[in-house]
Amino acid sequence: MNAPVTDIAAASADTWTVAGRTFSSRLIVGTGKYKDYATNAAAAEAAGAEIVTVAVRRVNISDPSQPLLMDFIKPDRFTYLPNTAGCFTGEDAVRTLRLAREAGGWTLVKLEVLSDPKTLYPDMEETLRALKLLVAEGFDVMVYCTDDIVYARKLEEAGAAAIMPLGAPIGSGLGIQNKVNLRLIVEQAKVPVLVDAGVGTASDATVGMELGCDGILMNTAIAEARDPIRMAVAMKHAVIAGREAYLAGRMPRRMYADPSSPLAGLI
């Protein structure tokens, strides 16, 4: 049984592993929507994150004439997770990640192939097709997907390094909308499961962790908070609290009251 966490530092003993890489923090943060890279870097530090996900098509990682993300979020401090945000076909996604590998040598990547610009829901047929191509080329692929239990299993069978079902549409802040499906995906998966998209506040992150997810990925919830740094700290605590509650095992749900003190012997 995992030892209980009595403080934030002790949480580092509770690790998780994806594609042979082991991490202590179960909170992954994004690198978009911040007012500047300095704020982004400060939020990542405050969150205690070890992984930052990077939209290769939207963040400057190669033009030295402009501010570079790597000057603020140091690659020797954080693991970069290139993603395919903005890709609507499997070909675009595969091409984007090939470029990321050439630019930074990154092989641990996040795949997302979107269906339409309004909902940003993943196109699962294209996602599965792109995953197979990337796995064949030696990438370790963490996959953004719907909370479809059958597709989650197909992704894992096709070689996904992690399954990342959405809690709600990207950037919506609606929180986890389908706890039942998320829990079923966790129960069947043999690879890490992380909530990706939809988290709006700390309680949403806690819910995801209480369901047994291995981690939470978020961007907008921190970047668009009134105080991003303080929200990043809140999210760090929320993820740890949810993980500890999951490991502790919640009390049974009951229809009626159950007294905290025995009723026998009352005067």
Side-chain angles (χ1 to χ4, degrees):
M1 181 179 292
N2 295 67
V5 171
T6 55
D7 55 45
I8 296 297
S12 61
D14 179 34
T15 60
W16 66 287
T17 301
V18 57
R21 301 164 174 86
T22 299
F23 301 95
S24 297
S25 173
R26 294 173 180 271
L27 177 57
I28 300 174
V29 299
T31 53
K33 299 186 176 180
Y34 290 88
K35 66 178 183 179
D36 51 44
Y37 287 155
T39 303
N40 195 164
E45 290 286 355
E50 294 173 301
I51 304 175
V52 294
T53 184
V54 179
V56 178
R57 303 177 73 181
R58 296 173 178 166
V59 173
N60 182 29
I61 58 174
S62 59
D63 182 359
S65 68
Q66 302 294 326
L68 284 165
L69 179 67
M70 287 84 87
D71 291 338
F72 295 87
I73 299 178
K74 304 293 186 180
D76 60 353
R77 163 70 181 84
F78 296 92
T79 294
Y80 273 41
L81 181 68
N83 71 57
T84 58
C87 293
F88 290 86
T89 68
E91 284 77 13
D92 277 352
V94 171
R95 187 181 309 113
T96 298
L97 293 177
R98 285 172 180 161
L99 291 171
R101 180 165 59 183
E102 290 177 11
W106 298 299
T107 56
L108 179 64
V109 297
K110 178 194 163 190
L111 172 66
E112 54 183 89
V113 184
L114 306 175
S115 58
D116 68 89
K118 184 176 182 180
T119 68
L120 299 181
Y121 262 63
D123 180 328
M124 291 310 302
E125 185 176 357
E126 282 290 281
T127 297
L128 182 57
R129 187 169 68 87
L131 169 65
K132 292 176 179 178
L133 292 171
L134 290 166
V135 169
E137 293 188 18
F139 285 94
D140 297 312
V141 191
M142 302 172 69
V143 188
Y144 169 62
C145 59
T146 60
D147 56 7
D148 184 305
I149 301 161
V150 177
Y151 255 115
R153 184 170 63 249
K154 288 182 177 181
L155 292 171
E156 183 172 347
E157 290 171 349
I163 307 298
M164 306 179 77
L166 54 80
I170 292 172
S172 67
L174 291 172
I176 294 170
Q177 297 297 297
N178 195 336
K179 293 189 286 186
V180 173
N181 276 24
L182 197 57
R183 178 60 195 165
L184 290 172
I185 290 172
V186 168
E187 287 183 0
Q188 76 176 7
K190 295 180 177 63
V191 297
V193 177
L194 299 92
V195 172
D196 182 4
V199 169
T201 191
S203 56
D204 300 331
T206 300
V207 167
M209 296 305 297
E210 287 176 344
L211 290 170
C213 290
D214 294 278
I216 309 286
L217 187 152
M218 66 182 70
N219 184 68
T220 309
I222 296 176
E224 292 191 355
R226 187 170 62 249
D227 184 339
I229 311 307
R230 177 166 257 174
M231 183 60 80
V233 173
M235 292 300 188
K236 174 172 68 174
H237 286 275
V239 167
I240 292 172
R243 174 66 177 170
E244 284 298 291
Y246 170 72
L247 293 175
R250 64 157 291 136
M251 62 167 283
R253 288 182 171 88
R254 302 184 178 97
M255 184 65 71
Y256 300 103
D258 185 32
S260 297
S261 302
L263 295 176
L266 290 178
I267 298 174

